[in-house]
Amino acid sequence: MNPEVVTIGLGYIGLPTSALIASHGTKVLGIDINQKIVDTINQGKIHIVEPDLDEIVSKVVSNGFFKASTKPTSADVYLIVVPTPFKGNHEPDISFVEAATKGIIPLLKKGDLYIIESTSPIGTTDKMQKLILAARPELEGTIHIAYCPERVLPGNVMHELVENDRVIGGVDKASTQKAISFYRKYVNGELHGTNARTAEMCKLVENSSRDVQIAFANELSLICDKADINVWELINLANKHPRVNILQPGCGVGGHCIAVDPYFIVSDYPMESKIIGTAREVNNYKSFWCAEKIQNEKLQFELKNGRKPKTALLGLAFKPNIDDLRESPAKYIAQKVLQNSNNEEHFIVEPNIKSHSVYKLTDYKEAINKADIVVFLVAHKEFLNLDIPDEKIFLDLC
């Protein structure tokens, strides 16, 4: 295959993005360091749970427009869609972006377009430009470099990749326009041009704003628990005000966006990001609080019944109807509950994954049937409208 586009990273964003581009008749080579993932994709299969993605991947692989590999080859466009994890005390680690960039530097040629989609600290695109030009100074002024963060909701990725607006920031105006022309082939949403630093900050601000709003709802749930007030009824009534829109509380915040991106701002601007930093603390504490609430229910059950309870924990993913456990508050809660266990029996339920390296998974119907305490942590479709017997203790924490 002589690809027009090389995507580096075939995870929850890289794979759908590759499939979308290939579905338009563009030849795409997807790169991943995991040979198992590469082999799975080349069989026309997928390694993640995402509606409609399996059919699209099967089609574009079979018709020759999409192939996976562990090594990149020459192309016209390079998309960097790799993870940006933490190091130290929630400090962003761009080493994967650097490694992906170094891997394609020898392949770059005049007229190529290089785009980072990975969530990145402010200034990352400029750093990668310097990295590229330090190794290939003859490319200065001849290649285009830009940043374009994804804005998708897991579980609806294929639709949102096409319909959502995109913010596109180049290191110069020519790069911005080149990137806009590229995305216009595949995106129906409006394309908003800016500079790279603003585009990087825009992604971080979007998710930090949502984190702050969720923190308000979660903090309210803590207050209402002490005040003996139904927080869901309260929020419903407060939202009757025409200018109030309080979100619903949950067991915390997870995923590789809202639970992560605020730290990219706090790390670089600690003195200026007080509200953003506090929101992270509130949302992290809510997960700890939920684990403590479950533990208290277990102790009360034992005091009342003279035996240890059996507890069902329903859901491990960070949001409903997906298999993504990254930064999941439900997974953290399950971990804390098991750590505090004193030989009690627990049933861990996650219908979107077949097995887990740490937790033994149980079918949700079996878990509910056997448990004394049933805890909802994630509102998966399988758990909606369940009839929980009155004799069981039921905690809805999602």
Side-chain angles (χ1 to χ4, degrees), residues 43-57:
Q43 293 169 16
K45 301 176 182 178
I46 63 175
H47 60 288
I48 58 176
V49 173
E50 182 61 44
D52 304 323
L53 179 59
D54 54 348
E55 295 180 8
I56 298 173
V57 168

Side-chain angles (χ1 to χ4, degrees), residues 1-8 26-31 72-79 104 106-114 143 182:
M1 173 192 273
N2 295 316
E4 300 169 58
V5 177
V6 165
T7 56
I8 303 180
T26 302
K27 289 188 176 182
V28 179
L29 179 67
I31 307 302
T73 61
S74 180
D76 301 320
V77 180
Y78 299 88
L79 297 182
I104 57 100
L107 304 173
L108 293 172
K109 60 186 183 300
K110 180 180 179 180
D112 283 353
L113 175 61
Y114 164 97
I143 62 169
F182 170 73

Side-chain angles (χ1 to χ4, degrees), residues 94-127:
I94 62 169
S95 62
F96 289 3
V97 175
E98 290 179 349
T101 302
K102 289 178 180 178
I104 57 100
I105 285 177
L107 304 173
L108 293 172
K109 60 186 183 300
K110 180 180 179 180
D112 283 353
L113 175 61
Y114 164 97
I115 302 172
I116 300 174
E117 287 204 0
S118 304
T119 301
S120 303
I122 301 162
T124 298
T125 309
D126 290 335
K127 289 180 180 178

Side-chain angles (χ1 to χ4, degrees), residues 314-315 317 319-321 376-384 396 398:
L314 274 59
K319 68 181 294 291
N321 307 321
F376 276 15
L377 296 176
V378 187
H380 289 312
K381 60 185 179 182
E382 290 87 353
F383 307 157
L384 302 180
D396 186 354
C398 63

